[in-house]
Amino acid sequence: MDTTDALDPRDRRDRRDRPDLLETVGRLIAERACERLIVEFVQTLDLGEPGDVAELFTPDGVWEWAEGGRRIEGRGALRAYFAGRPADRLSRRLCTNILVTLTSASTATASTYFTTYRVDGHTGGMLPPRLPVQVGRYEDTFREIEGRWLLTARELFLDFAGPTERLSPADARAGA
């Protein structure tokens, strides 16, 4: 039996009424690449070299806070900012409700809820649970450059925020 043309002719006719499969797959791949970039950002901050998050931005990328007028622009400034965090900082960020929207074939936006747990003065080991230091959302814009999706801008909106706890040397040793 020849299966090269096994599709029902009606299926071909119906296909004209549906979005192009390649277009749909391309959109899904782009959305997934942006989602992965969001997760890679927080993993690099929490588990890697914080300054390396600068490589996830376009050369002219921007990080800013909706309140307070803080704005960091350009990879060099971003690298210096993120690399300047305390070496004894323990942080874990949880991201959820990631909604990526393609705005063109090479641009996208996303909104992501995040929760940050963080202490300074950590010297190792497990700590008892703490309340989050921040809860908010990121509003991102992305651009595809030479086949790679990068952040062009990340704006941080905080709904809940507090100071970062600094463990005393005794607390850090005891895992308090």
Side-chain angles (χ1 to χ4, degrees):
M1 178 175 151
D2 182 8
T3 60
T4 56
D5 198 17
L7 293 175
D8 185 316
R10 290 172 295 176
D11 289 341
R12 280 194 210 97
R13 192 174 46 246
D14 292 343
R15 240 182 280 151
R16 283 180 255 138
D17 298 331
R18 294 181 293 180
D20 180 59
L21 182 60
L22 290 177
E23 180 182 313
T24 301
V25 170
R27 180 180 50 79
L28 292 172
I29 290 170
E31 288 173 355
R32 178 63 187 114
C34 293
E35 289 172 6
R36 181 176 175 85
L37 189 59
I38 290 165
V39 174
E40 189 176 351
F41 182 96
V42 296
Q43 277 208 316
T44 301
L45 274 182
D46 290 346
L47 302 173
E49 291 296 323
D52 290 348
V53 299
E55 297 307 313
L56 304 176
F57 284 86
T58 57
D60 60 346
V62 174
W63 168 272
E64 66 183 313
W65 290 255
E67 294 183 28
R70 293 168 60 185
R71 179 182 170 96
I72 300 160
E73 190 168 348
R75 271 197 191 143
L78 289 162
R79 185 175 292 104
Y81 172 76
F82 288 111
R85 67 183 251 157
D88 62 358
R89 176 166 285 170
L90 172 65
S91 63
R92 294 294 181 266
R93 288 167 183 81
L94 307 176
C95 290
T96 187
N97 300 358
I98 300 171
L99 180 60
V100 176
T101 303
L102 232 53
T103 54
S104 78
S106 61
T107 61
T109 61
S111 181
T112 305
Y113 293 3
F114 71 90
T115 302
T116 304
Y117 296 86
R118 181 173 62 212
V119 296
D120 289 345
H122 185 256
T123 58
M126 184 172 58
L127 297 173
R130 283 161 165 69
L131 292 173
V133 176
Q134 297 175 331
V135 176
R137 77 181 193 284
Y138 298 125
E139 293 293 333
D140 296 324
T141 58
F142 304 90
R143 187 170 62 231
E144 184 184 27
I145 299 175
E146 298 176 4
R148 181 175 180 216
W149 285 89
L150 297 168
L151 283 159
T152 57
R154 170 162 274 186
E155 191 169 8
L156 179 100
F157 294 84
L158 291 175
D159 299 307
F160 303 96
T164 300
E165 177 185 359
R166 170 153 288 284
L167 299 175
S168 71
D171 287 339
R173 281 192 302 277

